[in-house]
Amino acid sequence: EITLPPGSVAITIDDGYKSAIVYAAPILKKYGYPWTFFIYPAFITVNEGSGAASWKDLLDLQAQGVDIEAHSMTHPDLTKKRGKTPEQYDAWLDNETTGAKQILEQKMGKAITCFAYPYGAYNKEVEAKTIAAGYEAIFTVADNPVHSTTSLHSIGRYTITREEEKNFPAYLRQSALSLTKADPEPGATITNPRPVITAVLAPMSAGKIDPASIETSVRDYGVVRHDFDPQTNTVRLYLPRD
């Protein structure tokens, strides 16, 4: 609802490790940077004092203005049923989404409105369950910039590691391409281990896309082969392996 300066970022840290409090929190506080700590309650309850933050730690952070939000109950890949019956899987998803929200709201004494998928993994079923739990904003790790038309149910984040630090300035220069169609659709479950990933790009305000300017990469695969149809603004990505 407001205009942000170019290159604005939101800082998030996942899981609930004590190291985020020992190392990151003082630096973020020094520079006055707001940030969000995505917590999965089972980690805090079981490992408090042995690598995990304590509930008191989280309350202290919250008092300093840090936003505490949900990262599921036990940090699993929510798309993996692992032999559960449909009924068992449904109840398990309820606990991972609604259950985590309830515990965090009880412990933190505030509304929990944001959810970050563990590993960024989700499908239509997981997304529907997370929305039904009442979260207003849901986050992935899809390595894409956020813009005014980004769906609040799939807000991309960049995973920043030591190897990624050199790419950070480039991330700040990225702008989002709007898609009018994508196949497979985001969150879809597919059986083909090597699909051709197809996207139809929305017309650019600056004019036509120069095919020679296009580079394509897929997370965990690096640069991949592609072709582009300038007549339909369709780009296709070809995976080198399953």
Side-chain angles (χ1 to χ4, degrees), residues 41 55 69 98-113 133-135:
W55 291 113
E69 299 291 351
T98 301
K101 189 176 193 295
Q102 291 172 343
I103 286 182
L104 283 168
E105 288 182 340
Q106 176 189 355
K107 293 288 189 179
M108 306 311 300
K110 71 162 189 119
I112 299 296
T113 61
Y135 294 103

Side-chain angles (χ1 to χ4, degrees), residues 8-12 34-35 139 157:
S8 296
V9 300
I11 299 172
T12 67
W35 59 289
F139 294 79
R157 297 186 296 164

Side-chain angles (χ1 to χ4, degrees), residues 60-83:
D60 289 344
L61 283 180
Q62 182 171 275
Q64 298 171 29
V66 178
D67 183 27
I68 308 298
E69 299 291 351
H71 195 35
S72 80
M73 181 68 80
T74 64
H75 202 281
D77 183 332
L78 296 174
T79 67
K80 304 294 186 185
K81 299 185 178 182
R82 303 190 186 283

Side-chain angles (χ1 to χ4, degrees), residues 164-216:
E164 297 282 342
E165 286 175 3
K166 63 181 182 300
N167 295 325
F168 187 66
Y171 293 155
L172 294 179
R173 293 192 297 270
Q174 287 186 356
S175 59
L177 285 173
S178 295
L179 305 183
T180 60
K181 185 178 180 182
D183 183 37
E185 293 183 349
T189 299
I190 61 173
T191 56
N192 180 3
R194 200 179 302 190
V196 176
I197 301 173
T198 303
V200 180
L201 308 180
M204 298 181 65
S205 58
K208 291 185 176 181
I209 298 173
D210 176 8
S213 71
I214 296 176
E215 295 180 357
T216 54

Side-chain angles (χ1 to χ4, degrees), residues 11-14 16-17 20-21 24-30 32-39 53 55-70 108 110-112:
I11 299 172
T12 67
I13 301 177
D14 288 0
Y17 283 98
I21 298 172
I27 297 172
L28 295 166
K29 183 177 181 180
K30 174 182 177 181
Y33 292 162
W35 59 289
T36 295
F37 207 5
F38 282 109
I39 302 299
W55 291 113
K56 182 182 182 303
D57 289 333
L58 298 178
L59 287 168
D60 289 344
L61 283 180
Q62 182 171 275
Q64 298 171 29
V66 178
D67 183 27
I68 308 298
E69 299 291 351
M108 306 311 300
K110 71 162 189 119
I112 299 296

